[in-house]
Amino acid sequence: SLSLVTSVLVTQACGDGGNAPDAPVVPDPPPPNAAPTLTLSSAISVVENTTAVGTAAAEDTDSGDTLTFSISGGTDSAKFSIDASSGAITFNTSPDYETPGDADSLNTYEMTVQVSDGEDTAAADAVVTVTDVNDVVPAITSASEFSAAENQTSIGSLTATDADSASLTFSVDGSDLSITDAGVLSFVSAPDYETPADADAGNDYVVEITATDSLSNATTQTVTVAVSNVIEAGESLTDSTLAVSINENS
């Protein structure tokens, strides 16, 4: 007998002819944001009567980040401003060493500077110390009128003060009087009441006294020296002007 054997090959369709499909492509996650770094000296010195303080610097390894500066804190933060783009720091009002405006009145202003990249921040504290400059003129504190007896040279002493300088010197105009650096005033030659040498021959010598500090800041004062008469040998009271009041019937 004849046997017919038929073989049937069954092939299961698998979409792409039997190959497994490709896995979907998943992008790598973005790197985490890198925080900016801030550079600012913690101790800054500024002379009084100026506003410029310094400049904060910052870096960020993330390309394209925009960095923004601000004053974020500190006891004296209200005294300062900062350029948001450049980091330049200034006093809002120039400080005066003689009248400190910081919280503890010690001429040490405290602030905190911050930089942000829009996501992360960095901050730094700084103390700004205001230093003194000699900007105060001397003040003459002694009297402007002196009295001196004739026939001798001594007159008196002048005094002055200066908040910025302990070293003061005095000078006087004209040629009739002299003054030491310490302020001792005297006649160059002893005056004679009977033959006055002042400008109006009235025995009142008027001069300009100048007090100067170590940086040539100066102030002047007009001083009048009145020369009084002395009864000399051979001179009677009638030789001088004398006013006498006598009650009637006495």
Side-chain angles (χ1 to χ4, degrees), residues 22 27 61 84 87 102 130 132 172 175 190:
D22 293 335
T61 57
D102 56 311
V130 173
D132 190 22
V172 59
S175 58

Side-chain angles (χ1 to χ4, degrees), residues 201-246:
N203 278 305
D204 291 318
Y205 294 76
V206 181
V207 294
E208 291 290 322
I209 303 292
T210 301
T212 307
D213 67 16
S214 57
L215 285 185
S216 299
N217 296 313
T219 189
T220 61
Q221 177 174 289
T222 301
V223 170
T224 300
V225 181
V227 173
S228 59
N229 189 31
V230 173
I231 303 303
E232 302 168 78
E235 184 180 32
S236 66
L237 288 175
T238 57
D239 295 328
S240 303
T241 301
L242 179 65
V244 178
S245 176
I246 302 175

Side-chain angles (χ1 to χ4, degrees), residues 4-191:
L4 179 62
V5 179
T6 304
S7 297
V8 179
L9 179 61
V10 179
T11 301
Q12 182 178 3
C14 295
D16 63 349
N19 295 323
D22 293 335
V25 177
V26 178
D28 293 333
N33 181 69
T37 57
L38 179 63
T39 302
L40 178 67
S41 175
S42 61
I44 302 172
S45 180
V46 174
V47 297
E48 65 170 325
N49 306 323
T50 60
T51 57
V53 174
T55 301
E59 294 181 350
D60 195 321
T61 57
D62 295 326
S63 62
D65 280 358
T66 298
L67 301 180
T68 304
F69 295 93
S70 62
I71 304 293
S72 61
T75 306
D76 303 295
S77 58
K79 302 294 183 180
F80 299 97
S81 293
I82 190 169
D83 187 285
S85 300
S86 69
I89 306 166
T90 56
F91 275 105
N92 294 328
T93 302
S94 57
D96 181 0
Y97 183 87
E98 285 71 34
T99 55
D102 56 311
D104 54 10
S105 297
L106 294 176
N107 280 304
T108 51
Y109 296 75
E110 302 175 13
M111 65 174 172
T112 300
V113 174
Q114 177 179 283
V115 63
S116 172
D117 64 3
E119 186 174 343
D120 292 310
T121 61
D125 297 327
V127 176
V128 181
T129 300
V130 173
T131 59
D132 190 22
V133 295
N134 191 337
D135 60 349
V136 176
V137 298
I140 297 176
T141 55
S142 50
S144 61
E145 295 183 353
F146 290 82
S147 178
E150 66 170 325
N151 304 326
Q152 55 87 45
T153 59
S154 178
I155 297 174
S157 295
L158 282 88
T159 56
T161 60
D162 190 324
D164 279 340
S165 178
S167 177
L168 300 177
T169 58
F170 291 89
S171 60
V172 59
D173 70 343
S175 58
D176 294 321
L177 278 66
S178 67
I179 192 169
T180 67
D181 285 346
V184 178
L185 186 65
S186 59
F187 282 102
V188 173
S189 300

